[in-house]
Amino acid sequence: MTTRYAFGGDEHIFVEVAEEMSLDAFFKGLSITQAVRDSDIRGVTEICPANASFQIKFDPDVIAADDLLTELKRIEAATGSGHSTLATRIVEIPVFYGDPWTHETLMRFRERHQEPDGTDLDYAARVNGYAGVDAFVAAHAGSPWFVSMVGFVAGLPFMYQMVERAKQIEVPKYLRPRTDTPRLTVGHGGCFGCIYSVRGAGGYQMFGITPMPIYDPKQEIGYLREFMIFFRPGDIVKFKPVDRAGYDAAVEEVDKGTFAPLIRNVDFSLAAFHADPTATNAKLLGVLHGA
Amino acid sequence: MALEILKPGLSTTVQDLGRPGYYHLGIPLSGAMDREALIAANALVANDDGDAALEAVFMGPEIRFTADAVVAVTGAELPPKVDGVEQPTWQAFLIKAGQVLSFGFLKAGARAYIAVAGGIDVPMVLGSRSTYPLGALGGHEGRALKAGDVLPLGPARRKPKPGALVPPGLRRPGGRDVELRMLPGLYWHRITEAAGRHFFDDVWKVAPEADRIGYRFRGGRPLDFLPREQPFGAGSDPSNIVDSCYPYGSVQVPGGTEPIVLHRDAVSGGGYFMIGTVVSADLDLIGQLQPHQQARFRAVEMAEALAARRERAAALAKLKAAV
């Protein structure tokens, strides 16, 4: 990993920790951005961690661009390869795979897709070498995912699958982006999963939909009352397949204000994950399900 | 004391100087696309710089006032009328209770700012009254105005003076073809040297897809990429990167064909490479560009970007002093 610094105009410093995605790159970026936050540098106005990079917005009337650059490099050197442990939370997200709403949308934009004759799930299963959609869904919902970035639009999580690279699901994005995506679509593009927090344009393949809102600008939903955005970088996600009845029941609970997401606090160690991903994931899921 | 929206115009939103501090969660700054014009309009009606006003795109709204008010319209040349009688732009005027503010046809620029003494008093959300329609956040019910909406006004901060004006030499109504200064960088190294030259040599035109999120440009030659094996996680197109943050003003070129300059409602990140960033001093100019208008990009270094920033700050100080 070679860190690359670049100015984004006169108000941003853009830092690429690594060209390719890895949990190591994410953790290094997270450590540096945490250290920048702790340093409380005058003139720094926004600190935005991303998957394998991060961005600092600053006021050049308060701090000179070169001075901030020097300071960031000093922090990077002092942080080293970064902390490899994280006190975080694991969240279970119900997903209705192959639901009628994303199905309607993917049919509407079929001419923008690599494989007009199938569905996005058919395509993703095939290009990733799965026997069929069921096996693919089992893999998608089988391992935990790491929230490595929040953004694009309000509160949208980018999620990195916590399995060995050879097993990671990878799919190209649509040939041309759609102009519509249902709210709460569970999507995938490149190596990243996502949940569309709002309805809108999108280029990721669509696998299903969750009944659990993750963004509420009115702050009326119980678990979003304190803050309108659910996800934070570093969260761990586990998808749970539900059928139509399970989806409808959850939507009803959300509407009634009784839906409570399953959330548990966990400690994650990057070294332990690298040493044995299967055992680490089993332990995480044990915490989630109260084992 | 309120504004009754009789006709909303094409897309009229409540905007102030924006909502900093939440970009790391995908909530952009928002706020006036042409910040100088907003500050000028507020100055004319004796408001604070960051009070909320209306931003009208291409076409003005029609508004009935429930009480006497002092109003100023700046930015695009969109002639205001009070009960059908034309009023000057860049100058404060009085409107009486029951009278209707409407607008003639757009003569230049793209976005007019309609400030009313006291400011538009919609609720503050995360520290700002700006509307972010994509996130249904802020402004009036998180959306562009509709007929029938009623907007409350705040109490006047100082006594406004009808007739106060911005001297013509200090106005920037837009309408001219522009040169946008850009600091090359970010993923500039991904394109060939020839592509880099073409980008600055070519004349670009604003595409119809130009809004608060970003301005798309067309008409220049496509950019050629230097060959590389795509890094893991980036996606297969040579213009793809591992999804990263996007600076405000950054210039991304999906597929290497049509550059998009991100603006106040920017998507905070994504998987397209960027070749640089338009300097902060020139972002206001973009907000006044109409589709089909021409623009050139010019490469600058940091020193020139900062000089441009100082120059705009000085011009704004002069404008406020003159008002």
Side-chain angles (χ1 to χ4, degrees):
Chain A
M1 290 194 288
T2 321
T3 309
R4 189 170 66 80
Y5 290 81
F7 289 117
D10 49 325
E11 294 186 337
H12 310 82
I13 293 181
F14 178 95
V15 186
E16 185 186 70
V17 176
E19 264 201 323
E20 64 168 32
M21 180 57 192
S22 67
L23 277 183
D24 297 85
F26 168 73
F27 263 82
K28 186 172 175 186
L30 195 66
S31 303
I32 301 172
T33 49
Q34 191 57 54
V36 174
R37 195 170 292 114
D38 294 343
S39 308
D40 216 0
I41 304 164
R42 238 182 115 241
V44 165
T45 57
E46 307 236 18
I47 300 166
C48 304
N51 296 304
S53 58
F54 62 91
Q55 177 175 301
I56 308 291
K57 186 162 192 268
F58 65 98
D59 180 349
D61 302 332
V62 178
I63 185 166
D66 284 328
D67 291 348
L68 180 56
L69 187 62
T70 305
E71 185 58 18
L72 290 177
K73 288 180 173 171
R74 190 195 63 73
I75 290 173
E76 186 206 347
T79 313
S81 58
H83 309 291
S84 62
T85 56
L86 188 67
T88 183
R89 54 182 189 164
I90 184 166
V91 190
E92 186 175 79
I93 307 279
V95 181
F96 181 13
Y97 289 93
D99 68 278
W101 304 282
T102 57
H103 185 80
E104 183 278 325
T105 308
L106 67 88
M107 294 310 286
R108 190 150 36 98
F109 292 98
R110 216 63 209 134
E111 87 291 352
R112 302 184 187 210
H113 196 272
Q114 289 83 353
E115 223 169 69
D117 291 336
T119 66
D120 292 9
L121 275 170
D122 294 333
Y123 174 67
R126 192 177 61 72
V127 300
N128 284 283
Y130 288 94
V133 167
D134 288 349
F136 177 78
V137 167
H140 190 268
S143 73
W145 298 67
F146 215 91
V147 175
S148 50
M149 177 173 173
V150 177
F152 176 58
V153 293
L156 178 149
F158 287 83
M159 293 168 291
Y160 187 70
Q161 196 182 12
M162 293 168 65
V163 290
E164 297 90 328
R165 182 170 289 186
K167 292 189 196 164
Q168 276 185 322
I169 295 167
E170 271 196 283
V171 277
K173 296 163 192 170
Y174 270 49
L175 296 174
R176 285 181 297 128
R178 299 175 304 272
T179 54
D180 193 15
T181 310
R183 174 176 162 266
L184 297 177
T185 292
V186 175
H188 200 99
C191 74
F192 294 106
C194 86
I195 303 172
Y196 286 90
S197 51
V198 296
R199 183 178 177 179
Y204 278 23
Q205 306 281 337
M206 297 182 291
F207 296 159
I209 200 160
T210 174
M212 178 182 151
I214 57 169
Y215 169 67
D216 177 19
K218 292 188 172 149
Q219 293 179 265
E220 289 168 353
I221 297 168
Y223 58 91
L224 295 171
R225 215 164 275 159
E226 267 181 42
F227 193 63
M228 59 184 71
I229 285 171
F230 181 77
F231 283 110
R232 303 189 282 260
D235 280 342
I236 296 171
V237 166
K238 170 71 171 58
F239 297 117
K240 178 191 168 194
V242 293
D243 58 12
R244 178 68 194 254
Y247 175 85
D248 288 345
V251 167
E252 205 182 312
E253 284 181 46
V254 169
D255 290 344
K256 277 198 285 196
T258 56
F259 183 86
L262 179 58
I263 304 173
R264 297 276 183 265
N265 292 325
V266 284
D267 291 311
F268 176 79
S269 156
L270 187 58
F273 177 78
H274 281 321
D276 191 344
T278 311
T280 305
N281 287 348
K283 219 166 122 188
L284 288 170
L285 298 184
V287 174
L288 180 67
H289 295 118
Chain B
M1 181 82 161
L3 308 186
E4 296 171 0
I5 306 300
L6 306 178
K7 288 182 186 165
L10 200 60
S11 175
T12 303
T13 52
V14 176
Q15 300 293 347
D16 57 18
L17 288 176
R19 183 177 288 116
Y22 302 94
Y23 204 41
H24 65 293
L25 297 173
I27 297 180
L29 181 64
S30 302
M33 293 278 282
D34 182 350
R35 293 164 66 94
E36 273 189 43
L38 171 75
I39 293 171
N42 274 330
L44 287 169
V45 297
N47 283 350
D48 289 345
D49 286 358
D51 281 337
L54 299 181
E55 178 182 273
V57 188
F58 304 144
M59 203 176 132
E62 218 172 280
I63 305 168
R64 186 191 291 124
F65 283 67
T66 64
D68 294 2
V70 177
V71 177
V73 179
T74 64
E77 272 305 303
L78 188 68
K81 296 174 185 175
V82 173
D83 280 351
V85 179
E86 192 160 322
Q87 306 291 319
T89 53
W90 300 90
Q91 185 170 343
F93 56 88
L94 183 70
I95 182 159
K96 291 209 147 76
Q99 286 191 310
V100 172
L101 175 68
S102 64
F103 291 85
F105 290 112
L106 179 70
K107 292 179 184 161
R111 288 177 174 79
Y113 293 85
I114 306 159
V116 185
I120 310 290
D121 195 20
V122 294
M124 291 275 242
V125 180
L126 302 179
S128 165
R129 296 186 171 88
S130 288
T131 316
Y132 170 46
L134 194 55
L137 189 73
H140 180 73
E141 296 180 0
R143 58 165 171 78
L145 299 180
K146 287 182 188 167
D149 287 343
V150 176
L151 303 178
L153 287 177
R157 295 178 183 276
R158 297 157 205 98
K159 200 169 163 41
K161 288 192 263 326
L165 62 84
V166 173
L170 298 176
R171 302 173 185 179
R172 287 210 303 179
R176 292 169 300 120
D177 296 338
V178 297
E179 178 186 86
L180 300 171
R181 290 167 283 195
M182 186 185 100
L183 197 71
L186 303 172
Y187 291 85
W188 176 261
H189 57 275
R190 289 288 301 115
I191 58 172
T192 62
E193 206 193 319
R197 277 200 311 274
H198 296 163
F199 178 76
F200 291 116
D201 287 345
D202 288 349
V203 175
W204 298 89
K205 269 188 180 175
V206 177
E209 304 91 340
D211 59 23
R212 294 186 45 85
I213 298 170
Y215 260 62
R216 187 184 281 258
F217 293 85
R218 297 195 166 139
R221 283 166 277 184
L223 306 181
D224 290 326
F225 291 88
L226 289 169
R228 75 162 172 183
E229 193 184 324
Q230 281 295 92
F232 177 79
S236 44
D237 191 272
S239 70
N240 286 153
I241 56 169
V242 169
D243 296 55
S244 77
C245 298
Y246 288 154
Y248 295 106
S250 60
V251 184
Q252 57 177 263
V253 196
T257 56
E258 297 181 344
I260 299 169
V261 183
L262 291 180
H263 219 282
R264 310 287 183 213
D265 284 0
V267 286
S268 70
Y272 290 113
F273 91 120
M274 303 155 275
I275 55 172
T277 309
V278 172
V279 304
S280 63
D282 286 350
L283 286 182
D284 282 356
L285 292 176
I286 294 177
Q288 294 299 356
L289 290 177
Q290 295 177 4
H292 309 302
Q293 236 176 299
Q294 291 188 356
R296 296 275 293 264
F297 293 89
R298 183 164 69 80
V300 295
E301 292 181 2
M302 183 60 90
E304 192 175 343
L306 293 172
R309 186 183 175 90
R310 283 191 296 273
E311 188 196 311
R312 285 327 307 164
L316 190 58
K318 202 169 157 192
L319 181 154
K320 286 177 69 181
V323 172

